[in-house]
Amino acid sequence: MSSTRPTVVLVHDGCSDATSWFGVIAELHRRGLTAVAAANPLRGLAHDSAYLASVLAGIDGPVVLVGHSYGGAVITEAGAAPNVVSLVYVAAYLPDVGESHHALAARFAPSPLLSGLRRTAFTTNDTDRATELTVPREAYRPFLAADLDPEVAQVLAALQRPVAERVFTDAPTVAAWRTKPSWALVTGADQALPPPLQRFTARRAGAAVLELPEASHAVAVSRPTTVAELIQDAAEAGSAPTA
């Protein structure tokens, strides 16, 4: 008997892009794991989850699905795909069916970042308009990346992609963590996604929890080795025996 090693699919946060996984991917490659950084559209949970599901459908074999922050909501919905064997939440929240980010956040002290987000109108088609959000560059490091070098934080701020405001009010129609094993990394110094919210949703899901008390929201950049080690744990648990 041999085992099939899963492909790791990484889903980034809002106000971010796939390059945030650069260091984690390098570490995964050193461990012999194949990684795909999906381009999260950031237009809304149903739209983003459907896109991710199409990515997953094109991958042969088992998948370990990893989500950062809002990416956690996306993998909660799309993780119902049959080839997903485990879920990893990195500085993320694990919503239940019908539970939006705002509904969850209302149970905890508000994130100091939310009131400072920059709002910009955009056109969704020829007539409809909606709002998208970005983090002001001067706020990026203190709220998202306090444990990074200031120059690196400014590069990340410049690379960020706007996220549609509706991601905060959209809710999943399925919670993949209810049927699939989960791991969660809680960032104890997070100023963007409150650590109590991260802990509550991870423990509610029965996830294996690793907490880094001094890690910021940008933990995938500041602690890529630790993030990769947690993903490796999920990959090894999710390896499927084959003849």
Side-chain angles (χ1 to χ4, degrees):
M1 299 288 288
S2 62
S3 63
T4 300
R5 302 199 80 185
T7 298
V8 177
V9 177
L10 304 139
V11 183
H12 63 82
D13 186 15
C15 300
S16 179
D17 75 355
T19 60
S20 61
W21 295 112
F22 183 94
V24 173
I25 292 171
E27 291 287 344
L28 292 173
H29 285 175
R30 292 186 189 104
R31 290 165 167 76
L33 289 165
T34 300
V36 175
N40 190 353
L42 307 179
R43 297 297 87 185
L45 184 57
H47 180 280
D48 299 344
S49 299
Y51 173 79
L52 179 58
S54 70
V55 173
L56 298 173
I59 297 175
D60 292 329
V63 169
V64 172
L65 197 50
V66 184
H68 176 223
S69 195
Y70 163 63
V74 179
I75 72 169
T76 293
E77 177 91 13
N83 60 335
V84 174
V85 294
S86 54
L87 306 164
V88 181
Y89 293 83
V90 178
Y93 59 101
L94 294 68
D96 206 346
V97 174
E99 190 174 56
S100 69
H101 175 275
H102 277 347
L104 268 173
R107 306 184 192 184
F108 304 93
S111 165
L113 174 65
L114 290 181
S115 62
L117 292 172
R118 180 174 290 125
R119 287 164 166 77
T120 306
F122 73 98
T123 302
T124 58
N125 53 40
D126 289 341
T127 58
D128 295 336
R129 291 173 70 79
T131 301
E132 61 185 10
L133 309 172
T134 54
V135 180
R137 292 196 183 194
E138 66 275 11
Y140 199 94
R141 183 169 186 263
F143 289 113
L144 273 76
D147 55 354
L148 290 178
D149 179 88
E151 291 186 358
V152 174
Q154 282 301 295
V155 171
L156 294 177
L159 287 170
Q160 69 174 299
R161 290 174 47 221
V163 59
E165 189 173 32
R166 66 174 297 168
V167 305
F168 289 107
T169 54
D170 288 349
T173 60
V174 63
W177 51 261
R178 286 191 168 275
T179 58
K180 300 186 180 184
S182 303
W183 284 254
L185 190 157
V186 173
T187 41
D190 202 316
Q191 295 296 306
L193 186 65
L197 190 161
Q198 296 181 45
R199 290 187 202 103
F200 168 75
T201 58
R203 290 171 179 168
R204 178 180 66 177
V209 178
L210 169 66
E211 181 157 350
L212 299 180
E214 298 179 358
S216 77
H217 195 66
V219 66
V221 181
S222 64
R223 315 286 180 91
T225 299
T226 302
V227 174
E229 287 171 349
L230 186 66
I231 295 169
Q232 183 178 20
D233 289 345
E236 290 176 349
S239 293
T242 59

